[in-house]
Every structure is written in C-alpha cells, then in structure tokens.
C-alpha cells in the first residue's frame, strides 16, 4: 500500500513539474542555443539521420568565408554527431546559425 502511495505521489509531483514548465523552454546558455540551432539546421536540411550515422562529409558545407560552416575542412571530413555538437559548444563562431 505504501509503495502505491509513493508511486502516485511521485507521478503527481512529476506531472506538476512538467505542467509548470513552458512547452518550448529556451536553452539555458548560448552553447545550448547554438547546439539546438545546429540540430534544427540538420533537421531542416534532412541531414539529421545521416549526421547521426556519420555519413555527412562536412567539407561540403564548409567555406571559410561564406559558410555556413566557416572552416576549411578537407574532403572526407566525416565527423561524428558528438564531435559536431562539441564544436558548437567550444567554437560557435564556426557556424552561421550561431552568429
């Protein structure tokens, strides 16, 4: 009986916490906003799944002066999605959507 009460109490508390938060809360910092913008860009371009599978040659999206990725990447730059996310946090100036 106590176990059921604990489960119901936890569910109510969780539901109340979710209900109090805005549906589309803004990221807490610029790095998170940049990552979110990058993921959104990959989605918009229909490349998110390919990025997750490490099947994007990011050199095809890179140009040091005109972007959208402001870098000089060698052909065959198949980065993991984790590497790209990390770059969004450490070097947001590389990405047009983070400027």
């Amino acid at each position: 009986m106590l176990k059921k009460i604990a489960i119901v109490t936890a569910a109510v508390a969780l539901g109340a916490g979710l209900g109090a938060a805005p549906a589309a809360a803004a990221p807490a910092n610029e790095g998170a906003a940049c990552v979110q913008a990058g993921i959104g860009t990959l989605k918009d371009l229909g490349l998110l799944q390919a990025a997750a599978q490490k099947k994007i040659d990011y050199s095809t999206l890179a140009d040091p002066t005109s972007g959208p990725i402001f870098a000089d990447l060698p052909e065959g730059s198949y980065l993991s999605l984790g590497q790209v996310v990390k770059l969004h946090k450490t070097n947001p100036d590389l990405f047009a959507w983070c400027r």
Side-chain angles (χ1 to χ4, degrees), residues 43-69:
K43 282 182 185 177
D44 291 345
L45 296 173
L47 298 174
L48 186 58
Q49 184 173 355
Q53 296 171 344
K54 202 175 172 181
K55 292 183 178 179
I56 295 177
D57 180 358
Y58 286 94
S59 71
T60 63
L61 301 170
D63 184 292
T65 54
S66 62
I69 298 174

Side-chain angles (χ1 to χ4, degrees):
M1 180 68 164
L2 289 176
K3 185 176 180 180
K4 287 182 184 180
I5 292 172
I7 291 171
V8 170
T9 303
V12 169
L14 180 61
L18 292 175
N29 61 51
E30 285 185 38
C34 182
V35 170
Q36 190 175 39
I39 290 172
T41 299
L42 288 171
K43 282 182 185 177
D44 291 345
L45 296 173
L47 298 174
L48 186 58
Q49 184 173 355
Q53 296 171 344
K54 202 175 172 181
K55 292 183 178 179
I56 295 177
D57 180 358
Y58 286 94
S59 71
T60 63
L61 301 170
D63 184 292
T65 54
S66 62
I69 298 174
F70 297 97
D72 186 16
L73 296 174
E75 187 176 330
S77 293
Y78 293 93
L79 306 173
S80 72
L81 188 54
Q83 289 172 303
V84 176
V85 166
K86 185 175 182 178
L87 283 171
H88 278 74
K89 291 180 180 179
T90 59
N91 299 86
D93 56 308
L94 291 176
F95 304 97
W97 44 86
C98 296
R99 290 181 167 205

